[in-house]
Amino acid sequence: MSNTTWKQILARDPEEIEFHQAVQEVIETVQPVLDRHPEFERLAVLERIIEPERVIMFRVPWMDDERRVRVNRGYRVKMNSAIGPFKGGLRFHPSVNLSILKFLAFEQMFKNALTTLPMGGAQGGSDFDPKGKSDEEVMRFCQSFMAELSHHIGPNNDIPGGGLGVGAREIGYLFGMYKKQRDEFTGVLTGKGLGWGGSHIRPQATGYGVVYFAAEMLATRNVTLEGKTCLVSGSGNVAQHTAEKIIELGGKVMTLSDSSGYIFDPEGIDKGKLAFVKRLKNIKRGRIQEYVDKYSQTIYTEADTTLDYNPLWNQRAEYAFPCATEGEIGENDAYNLINNGIKMVCEGADRPSSPEAVKIFADKQILYAPGKAANAGGVAVSGLEMAQNRMLLNWSAEEVDRRLKTIMKNIHQTCLDAAANYGEPGNYLVGANITGFLRVVNAMLDQGLV
Ligand code: NDP
Ligand code: 2IT
């Protein structure tokens, strides 16, 4: 892409910083592909792949417990359907805007391609904040959100799933409303309850997949997780199941966090303590700080936005698993991690490391896996949920877990092969971007100019 075209893109949506960052990274890393395919320029391959096929924005009015009407904004960014129907998560968080959802949908397109399952890329959500809301408020919001979204999705064209702020509770309310409006019981959402069309292992899939990917990376250096200290951020779906699998494989989880602060447990967070965290976060919907009331040896540090680093990443450990949100590892954090002996960063969240941090990891040659490869297990098992729904059957937990492991192993190998093939051996970011890019672009070109 010429400099002029890039400038035009930035000028068209100047405020979309998150989206531009994600696009820029892909453009930089797929340059060797563009060099081998000069015809891509005339075909405007880059321009086409960064423009969503369709974006839907809508009003979501709902009534709070005080009978006051509130209005949020809903979105669905349908990025690309070249290799399958639109597929990707929903996010409910006050920071949600078009730029964030475009970046998530852009990443999702490549992530889904990496799984090899037939799924195009999309993401949606709302600036609704579920924190501090009653179950009834969350239900009324979800119903209003789905009353509109149901006109734009379906099991054959767009299948949303869970994501940040959207878990089993929200998917239940959303599914109920879709069913009522359309009078049909379909696999239109993934992350459904086990008793009504959900898949075994879907709640665990993202976190388990992250650790399966990490184990594959470590195997290339003949090491395992056994006895290793690990920093995990977040305490939601991805963090909980990443921690669970690390513990199962013999690793020692030292930290967890939420947006208010982080805990450091010098004895390590074991299975029993993790069960406490799950109850605290998923049922009681409390704060991670409450961990200290129960396990008094723990140190709690409040989040401090005036700092230019995150103290969680300034703890001594061997491996880091950022599982909270985008941009949580900045340049200073990257240096702190390396100075504290970190040898691997495996991303559970979507783009938790800033572009500067990613460059530092590459320079220092530590093992680094981008979220679009390492956290693809979540959407992969969503794909398996869709397959099971089509066949009207349920695979066992062992069967789904076996398939998840195989998918993660294959993604790992594919990234390594592509990176080597394009002159950047061991660079998982280059491998993931090139593989995802080629799969989507080849499908687009096969289907003509549509
Ligand atoms: P959850 O809502 O279950 O948990 C999110 C966690 O991150 C919470 O602990 C939350 O704290 C914390 N967090 C959120 N925003 C911030 C912030 N600005 N600063 C510090 N901490 C924050 O979401 P998930 O675990 O599902 O998602 C986490 C990440 O993983 C996201 O990037 C998501 O896109 C990605 N992902 C999720 C998948 C899934 O299957 N769920 C699949 C692939 C990727 P608090 O409770 O205080 O808000
Ligand atoms: O970022 C993601 O891959 C997800 N939020 C999961 C998407 C899904 O459809 O399961």
Side-chain angles (χ1 to χ4, degrees):
M1 178 179 292
S2 72
N3 245 344
T4 333
T5 323
W6 179 238
K7 275 189 190 139
Q8 279 166 354
I9 289 164
L10 296 182
R12 190 184 265 170
D13 304 295
E15 73 290 0
E16 292 182 355
I17 297 160
E18 296 85 356
F19 179 57
H20 291 156
Q21 267 187 7
V23 169
Q24 180 140 22
E25 174 206 282
V26 169
I27 291 178
E28 280 171 18
T29 47
V30 303
Q31 193 54 50
V33 178
L34 305 178
D35 294 342
R36 285 190 202 179
H37 292 275
E39 75 279 11
F40 282 5
E41 177 144 9
R42 184 186 64 79
L43 295 169
V45 162
L46 285 178
E47 288 88 331
R48 282 153 71 186
I49 208 167
I50 64 174
E51 193 63 19
E53 283 183 36
R54 193 176 303 132
V55 175
I56 290 149
M57 275 174 69
F58 50 97
R59 179 174 64 200
V60 189
W62 57 281
M63 195 173 279
D64 70 18
D65 287 344
E66 274 72 54
R67 303 191 63 248
R68 218 192 137 81
V69 174
R70 309 269 202 111
V71 180
N72 284 97
R73 187 172 284 175
Y75 304 83
R76 186 72 177 163
V77 176
K78 296 169 185 262
M79 189 55 79
N80 195 295
S81 63
I83 60 176
F86 297 110
K87 176 83 194 100
L90 295 172
R91 173 180 288 199
F92 293 166
H93 193 270
S95 64
V96 162
N97 59 32
L98 193 54
S99 172
I100 288 180
L101 291 177
K102 277 175 74 178
F103 115 64
L104 287 169
F106 186 72
E107 296 281 295
Q108 194 84 49
M109 151 173 71
F110 300 120
K111 188 190 296 189
N112 293 3
L114 284 169
T115 68
T116 70
L117 298 172
M119 302 182 291
Q123 274 265 356
S126 173
D127 57 1
F128 172 74
D129 186 0
K131 217 176 291 162
K133 305 285 191 303
S134 68
D135 280 353
E136 292 73 21
E137 288 177 321
V138 170
M139 180 179 76
R140 288 194 291 274
F141 172 80
C142 287
Q143 290 179 336
S144 179
F145 181 84
M146 184 51 89
E148 175 60 33
L149 188 68
S150 63
H151 302 308
H152 310 287
I153 60 174
N156 293 314
N157 64 33
D158 188 353
I159 305 94
L164 195 142
V166 179
R169 173 182 63 170
E170 290 74 18
I171 293 289
Y173 296 147
L174 292 164
F175 183 79
M177 193 58 177
Y178 181 89
K179 185 161 63 74
K180 185 177 175 71
Q181 283 215 310
R182 301 281 287 254
D183 192 20
E184 54 183 38
F185 198 113
T186 64
V188 67
L189 291 165
T190 58
K192 297 185 292 296
L194 249 188
W196 43 279
S199 173
H200 279 289
I201 305 289
R202 176 61 191 90
Q204 296 86 349
T206 309
Y208 282 15
V210 167
V211 183
Y212 293 151
F213 196 97
E216 290 293 320
M217 286 203 288
L218 294 174
T220 65
R221 299 200 178 171
N222 293 318
V223 278
T224 67
L225 275 153
E226 180 76 43
K228 305 296 191 318
T229 46
C230 301
L231 306 177
V232 178
S233 66
S235 51
N237 174 277
V238 180
Q240 288 171 18
H241 297 104
T242 295
E244 186 164 287
K245 191 52 82 176
I246 293 172
I247 296 166
E248 203 184 303
L249 298 185
K252 197 166 170 192
V253 177
M254 311 305 296
T255 59
L256 285 172
S257 69
D258 60 23
S259 55
S260 310
Y262 85 95
I263 52 149
F264 177 84
D265 186 339
E267 291 170 6
I269 298 162
D270 61 17
K271 225 172 144 182
K273 295 174 184 175
L274 187 62
F276 169 82
V277 172
K278 284 188 181 179
R279 275 195 307 277
L280 173 68
K281 284 293 176 181
N282 308 348
I283 298 164
K284 191 169 166 231
R285 298 190 187 272
R287 308 307 295 158
I288 199 68
Q289 179 172 13
E290 294 167 53
Y291 183 97
V292 187
D293 303 338
K294 176 121 173 119
Y295 305 106
S296 55
Q297 76 284 0
T298 310
I299 301 156
Y300 174 73
T301 309
E302 211 156 287
D304 180 353
T305 48
T306 62
L307 293 178
D308 59 3
Y309 69 100
N310 179 348
L312 189 157
W313 306 123
N314 204 14
Q315 296 285 351
R316 233 189 138 67
E318 277 148 312
Y319 307 140
F321 295 85
C323 297
T325 194
E326 60 269 13
E328 57 172 312
I329 298 183
E331 191 174 355
N332 293 339
D333 300 312
Y335 284 122
N336 286 341
L337 283 167
I338 286 163
N339 292 337
N340 278 301
I342 287 285
K343 294 178 193 70
M344 175 182 71
V345 177
C346 189
E347 295 184 344
D350 290 312
R351 292 181 65 79
S353 309
S354 71
E356 297 76 23
V358 173
K359 289 206 169 77
I360 294 164
F361 298 149
D363 286 349
K364 302 287 178 191
Q365 300 205 326
I366 68 158
L367 288 169
Y368 165 71
K372 76 188 82 177
N375 74 28
V379 76
V381 172
S382 280
L384 300 181
E385 182 173 331
M386 289 158 66
Q388 293 168 80
N389 290 164
R390 297 256 162 183
M391 295 186 290
L392 297 172
L393 54 74
N394 251 103
W395 288 325
S396 67
E398 293 70 30
E399 172 71 11
V400 178
D401 197 30
R402 189 183 59 74
R403 287 175 185 263
L404 169 64
K405 245 183 232 166
T406 306
I407 290 171
M408 297 316 295
K409 206 177 160 72
N410 289 343
I411 296 176
H412 174 267
Q413 193 56 48
T414 310
C415 290
L416 271 190
D417 293 347
N421 188 4
Y422 283 86
E424 296 259 5
N427 189 327
Y428 290 92
L429 179 67
V430 167
N433 282 344
I434 287 183
T435 305
F437 180 78
L438 276 173
R439 285 184 182 161
V440 175
V441 167
N442 286 336
M444 285 173 78
L445 295 178
D446 285 348
Q447 293 167 29
L449 194 50
V450 291

Coordinates of all heavy atoms in Angstrom, one line a residue, residues 111-112 114-115 119 205-206 209-210 371-381 404 407-408 411:
K111 N -8.0 -14.5 13.1 CA -8.0 -15.5 14.2 C -8.9 -16.7 13.7 O -8.5 -17.9 13.7 CB -8.7 -14.9 15.4 CG -8.7 -15.8 16.6 CD -9.6 -15.2 17.7 CE -9.1 -13.8 18.3 NZ -9.8 -13.4 19.5
N112 N -10.1 -16.4 13.1 CA -11.0 -17.4 12.7 C -10.4 -18.2 11.5 O -10.5 -19.4 11.4 CB -12.3 -16.8 12.2 CG -13.1 -16.2 13.4 OD1 -12.6 -16.2 14.6 ND2 -14.3 -15.7 13.2
L114 N -7.3 -18.8 11.1 CA -6.2 -19.7 11.7 C -6.8 -21.0 12.2 O -6.2 -22.0 12.2 CB -5.5 -19.0 12.8 CG -4.5 -17.9 12.4 CD1 -4.0 -17.1 13.6 CD2 -3.3 -18.5 11.7
T115 N -8.1 -20.9 12.6 CA -8.7 -22.2 13.2 C -8.9 -23.2 12.1 O -9.1 -24.4 12.4 CB -10.0 -21.9 13.9 OG1 -11.0 -21.5 12.9 CG2 -9.9 -20.8 15.0
M119 N -15.4 -19.9 9.2 CA -16.0 -18.7 9.9 C -15.4 -17.4 9.4 O -14.2 -17.3 9.4 CB -15.7 -18.9 11.4 CG -16.3 -20.1 12.1 SD -16.0 -20.2 13.9 CE -14.2 -20.4 14.0
A205 N -12.6 -22.9 26.9 CA -11.8 -23.1 25.7 C -10.8 -22.1 25.5 O -9.7 -22.4 25.1 CB -12.8 -23.2 24.5
T206 N -11.1 -20.8 25.7 CA -10.1 -19.7 25.4 C -8.9 -19.9 26.3 O -7.8 -20.0 25.8 CB -10.7 -18.3 25.5 OG1 -12.0 -18.3 24.8 CG2 -9.8 -17.3 25.0
G209 N -7.0 -23.2 25.7 CA -6.3 -23.1 24.4 C -5.0 -22.2 24.5 O -4.0 -22.5 23.9
V210 N -5.1 -21.2 25.3 CA -3.9 -20.3 25.5 C -2.8 -21.1 26.1 O -1.6 -21.0 25.6 CB -4.3 -19.1 26.5 CG1 -3.0 -18.4 26.9 CG2 -5.3 -18.2 25.8
G371 N -2.4 -12.7 20.6 CA -3.8 -13.2 20.9 C -4.5 -13.9 19.8 O -5.1 -14.9 20.0
K372 N -4.3 -13.3 18.6 CA -5.1 -13.9 17.5 C -4.8 -15.4 17.2 O -5.6 -16.1 16.7 CB -5.0 -13.0 16.2 CG -3.7 -13.2 15.5 CD -3.6 -12.1 14.4 CE -3.2 -10.8 14.9 NZ -3.0 -9.7 14.0
A373 N -3.5 -15.8 17.6 CA -3.2 -17.2 17.5 C -3.5 -17.9 18.8 O -4.2 -18.9 18.9 CB -1.7 -17.3 17.1
A374 N -3.0 -17.3 19.9 CA -3.0 -18.1 21.2 C -4.4 -18.1 21.8 O -4.7 -19.1 22.5 CB -2.1 -17.4 22.2
N375 N -5.3 -17.1 21.5 CA -6.6 -17.2 22.1 C -7.7 -17.7 21.2 O -8.9 -17.6 21.5 CB -7.0 -15.9 22.8 CG -7.4 -14.8 21.9 OD1 -7.8 -15.0 20.8 ND2 -7.2 -13.5 22.3
A376 N -7.3 -18.3 20.0 CA -8.2 -18.7 19.0 C -9.0 -19.9 19.5 O -10.0 -20.3 18.8 CB -7.5 -19.0 17.7
G377 N -8.7 -20.6 20.6 CA -9.4 -21.8 21.0 C -10.8 -21.4 21.4 O -11.7 -22.3 21.3
G378 N -11.1 -20.2 21.8 CA -12.5 -19.8 22.2 C -13.4 -19.9 21.0 O -14.4 -20.6 21.0
V379 N -13.0 -19.2 20.0 CA -13.9 -19.1 18.8 C -13.8 -20.5 18.1 O -14.8 -20.9 17.5 CB -13.5 -18.0 17.9 CG1 -12.2 -18.2 17.1 CG2 -14.7 -17.7 16.9
A380 N -12.7 -21.2 18.2 CA -12.7 -22.6 17.6 C -13.8 -23.5 18.2 O -14.5 -24.1 17.5 CB -11.3 -23.2 17.8
V381 N -13.9 -23.4 19.6 CA -14.9 -24.3 20.2 C -16.3 -23.7 19.9 O -17.3 -24.5 19.8 CB -14.6 -24.5 21.7 CG1 -15.8 -25.3 22.3 CG2 -13.3 -25.4 21.8
L404 N -9.9 -29.4 20.5 CA -9.3 -28.1 20.8 C -7.8 -28.2 20.8 O -7.1 -27.4 20.2 CB -9.9 -27.6 22.2 CG -9.2 -26.4 22.8 CD1 -9.3 -25.1 21.9 CD2 -9.7 -26.1 24.2
I407 N -6.5 -28.4 17.3 CA -6.6 -27.1 16.6 C -5.4 -26.2 17.1 O -4.7 -25.6 16.3 CB -8.0 -26.5 16.9 CG1 -9.0 -27.3 16.1 CG2 -8.0 -25.0 16.4 CD1 -10.5 -26.9 16.4
M408 N -5.2 -26.1 18.4 CA -4.1 -25.2 18.9 C -2.8 -25.7 18.4 O -1.9 -24.9 18.1 CB -4.2 -25.2 20.5 CG -5.5 -24.6 21.1 SD -6.1 -23.1 20.3 CE -4.8 -21.9 20.6
I411 N -2.5 -24.7 14.8 CA -2.2 -23.2 14.7 C -0.8 -22.9 15.0 O -0.1 -22.2 14.2 CB -3.2 -22.4 15.6 CG1 -4.6 -22.6 15.2 CG2 -2.8 -20.9 15.5 CD1 -5.6 -21.9 16.1

